[in-house]
């Protein structure tokens, strides 16, 4: 982990994702520790999760709170890969 700077990468990519999505419609809050991210929406996120999975091939976690979309990408995720998620989320949230 140390040799590959995974902790630093997790912090940087987590900040990048948060900054890119914080002003999207329907997002109430974002809770984050590194790349463990909970995105609270103003609605049930089950249809959003389905769209991300089936239309964009992006798997998201589920929470006890039906309004929270959880993501937990790999610690070695690259900016290009985070952009795939960000663009997919923008598309999905923009269509509701």
């Amino acid at each position: 982990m140390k040799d590959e700077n995974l902790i630093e990468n997790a912090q940087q990519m987590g900040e990048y994702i948060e900054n890119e999505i914080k002003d999207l419609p329907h997002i109430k809050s974002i809770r984050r520790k590194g790349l463990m991210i909970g995105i609270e929406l103003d609605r049930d996120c089950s249809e959003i999760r389905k769209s991300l999975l089936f239309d964009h091939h992006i798997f998201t976690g589920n929470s006890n709170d039906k309004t929270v979309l959880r993501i937990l990408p790999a610690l070695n995720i690259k900016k290009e890969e985070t952009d795939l998620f960000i663009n997919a989320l923008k598309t999905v949230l923009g269509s509701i």
Side-chain angles (χ1 to χ4, degrees):
M1 285 181 65
K2 197 173 205 176
D3 292 342
E4 296 180 38
N5 296 317
L6 295 180
I7 306 263
E8 182 179 295
N9 186 65
Q11 184 62 29
Q12 289 173 350
M13 291 298 99
E15 286 174 6
Y16 176 70
I17 291 170
E18 182 176 3
N19 287 332
E20 292 295 312
I21 67 171
K22 67 183 177 188
D23 295 323
L24 292 179
H26 307 293
I27 292 181
K28 289 176 62 176
S29 70
I30 299 171
R31 295 182 295 277
R32 173 180 80 74
K33 180 131 179 122
L35 279 169
M36 293 187 299
I37 303 172
I39 304 165
E40 183 183 5
L41 303 170
D42 62 2
R43 63 193 61 225
D44 184 318
C45 65
S46 59
E47 291 303 315
I48 294 165
R49 290 182 70 238
K50 284 181 191 175
S51 180
L52 287 170
L53 180 60
F54 294 114
D55 300 336
H56 301 277
H57 310 289
I58 295 173
F59 179 78
T60 61
N62 157 3
S63 171
N64 289 337
D65 184 339
K66 294 180 190 252
T67 65
V68 176
L69 182 68
R70 291 180 43 201
I71 61 168
L72 183 57
L75 296 177
N76 65 344
I77 194 167
K78 308 270 187 278
K79 182 180 178 295
E80 297 79 23
E81 296 163 326
T82 62
D83 286 337
L84 291 173
F85 168 73
I86 291 165
N87 290 330
L89 186 62
K90 285 179 180 179
T91 298
V92 172
L93 292 179
S95 69
I96 56 173

